[in-house]
Structures are given as C-alpha cells and as structure tokens.
C-alpha cells in the first residue's frame, strides 16, 4: 500500500514506512479550504489546513510524497490515519507520478476533505484566510506554523513546484506576523 502526503504528511510523518518517493498527482489544486478543529484550531475557532479540490486543468499538479507501507503495518497505519484525518477526510485512490521520470506511475491512497464534509470551509479572500490562520491554534500547534512548514517542505522536496495558493497565503501570513511584531515592539 502507498499513501500520498500533500499537507503535514510531507514533513510530519508519524507512521512506519519502508520507502518514500517525491512526485505529484494530476487534476487537483491544493487549497486551504478545510477547517481543523482537532489539530490546528479548536471548536468554534477552526484553523485552515490543506485539502485537494478538482482543478479545471486536468494536467495541474500537486506535489507531495508517496509513502510505501509494509504489508504487516497496513492495518495499523490505516487505523492511525483514519483517526488522524477524522475531521472530514475520506480515502480515495489516485494515480501518482514519481518525480523521477524513469519510474512508472502507480495507484495510491490519499485522504481528501471534499466540499460536502462538515468541516469544509471553502474559499475566502486571501486576507481573510491569512487572518484566520494567523490567529488559530490547536493541539498540534499554531496554524501559521502549518503553512510555513508546508511551504518550506514543498520548496525542499520539489523546487520546481508551482503552488501559487500556498505561497501567496504564506506571504500574507508573514505580513501579518511582521505587522504584529512591529505593533508589539513599538516599531510601527
């Protein structure tokens, strides 16, 4: 079994795996449209985390990491991921394209929060999403750290990746952080 990580699983893998590959899936866009009340926010003040939405361009790529799970570990890993991704995510199968062009594409599992789950927040203006992310925090930490970690991890694993939504959101949150720092330290 293979599992695709396109959010925190890129930098925060908390299950055993025997191999990992950098690559992409096609036909989706990574968007911060999924609410998180269990990791990066709390009930009533959700954070925003990544999910995938269908892209208009079926050749659009979402870069991430595929993890091969040993057969003996599959039941435990599925149980763990079903719990970890319990707030609105469902399993689906997609085709993964390894970044190394000598390797063939193959099917794998990913967890996706589609638009009919109860935690789906949907699109919002960039500044509104950035403000929500800047202020949200939950049991797994500050929501802004999720955005920063994902952007840094994506640049590390796939420097060629174009993810305008993620990188614009990262910049908007950084601007809020700089403004907050300036206000707090009286440098504004």
């Amino acid at each position: 079994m293979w599992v695709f990580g396109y959010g925190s699983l890129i930098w925060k893998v908390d299950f055993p795996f025997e191999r990992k590959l950098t690559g992409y899936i096609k036909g989706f866009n990574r968007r911060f449209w999924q609410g998180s009340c269990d990791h990066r926010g709390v009930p009533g003040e959700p954070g925003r985390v990544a999910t995938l939405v269908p892209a208009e361009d079926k050749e659009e790529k979402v870069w991430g990491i595929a993890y091969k799970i040993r057969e003996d570990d599959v039941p435990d890993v599925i149980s763990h991921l079903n719990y970890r991704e319990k707030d609105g995510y469902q399993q689906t199968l997609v085709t993964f394209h390894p970044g190394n062009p000598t390797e063939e594409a193959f099917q794998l599992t990913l967890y996706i929060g589609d638009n009919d789950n109860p935690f789906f927040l949907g699109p919002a203006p960039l500044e509104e999403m950035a403000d929500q992310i800047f202020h949200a925090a939950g049991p797994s930490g500050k929501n802004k750290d999720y955005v920063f970690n994902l952007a840094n991890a994506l640049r590390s694993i796939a420097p060629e990746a174009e993810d305008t939504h993620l990188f614009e959101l990262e910049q908007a949150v950084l601007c809020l952080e700089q403004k907050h720092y300036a206000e707090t330290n009286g440098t504004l």
Side-chain angles (χ1 to χ4, degrees), residues 21-24 61 63 96-105 160:
L21 292 172
T22 297
Y24 56 87
K61 297 175 184 174
W63 284 83
F96 175 78
H97 303 269
N100 179 347
T102 63
E103 297 199 42
E104 291 190 29
E160 69 276 27

Side-chain angles (χ1 to χ4, degrees), residues 15-149:
F15 56 81
F17 61 91
E18 66 176 285
R19 186 174 180 214
K20 69 179 185 176
L21 292 172
T22 297
Y24 56 87
I25 60 172
K26 291 183 179 181
F28 292 94
N29 295 121
R30 184 183 356 246
R31 294 290 182 259
F32 278 77
W33 294 357
Q34 181 70 12
S36 175
C37 295
D38 61 340
H39 290 290
R40 297 295 176 160
V42 295
E45 294 180 8
R48 281 183 174 263
V49 293
T51 189
L52 300 176
V53 296
E56 287 184 23
D57 178 359
K58 296 302 175 200
E59 293 300 310
E60 190 77 29
K61 297 175 184 174
V62 173
W63 284 83
I65 297 181
Y67 298 96
K68 184 176 184 186
I69 313 303
R70 284 181 353 147
E71 190 173 335
D72 291 348
D73 292 330
V74 168
D76 289 339
V77 170
I78 294 249
S79 177
H80 170 72
L81 287 172
N82 285 345
Y83 179 78
R84 176 179 166 151
E85 309 296 342
K86 67 183 179 286
D87 274 1
Y89 287 88
Q90 299 174 27
Q91 287 184 30
T92 191
L93 292 175
V94 295
T95 301
F96 175 78
H97 303 269
N100 179 347
T102 63
E103 297 199 42
E104 291 190 29
F106 57 88
Q107 291 285 113
L108 54 55
T109 300
L110 69 81
Y111 283 77
I112 187 169
D114 59 20
N115 64 359
D116 65 355
N117 82 77
F119 300 95
F120 189 78
L121 299 174
L126 183 69
E127 296 76 21
E128 185 180 309
M129 287 191 293
D131 187 66
Q132 182 177 1
I133 288 166
F134 180 74
H135 290 97
S140 294
K142 295 177 180 177
N143 198 180
K144 66 182 180 178
D145 292 340
Y146 177 101
V147 173
F148 298 153
N149 288 336

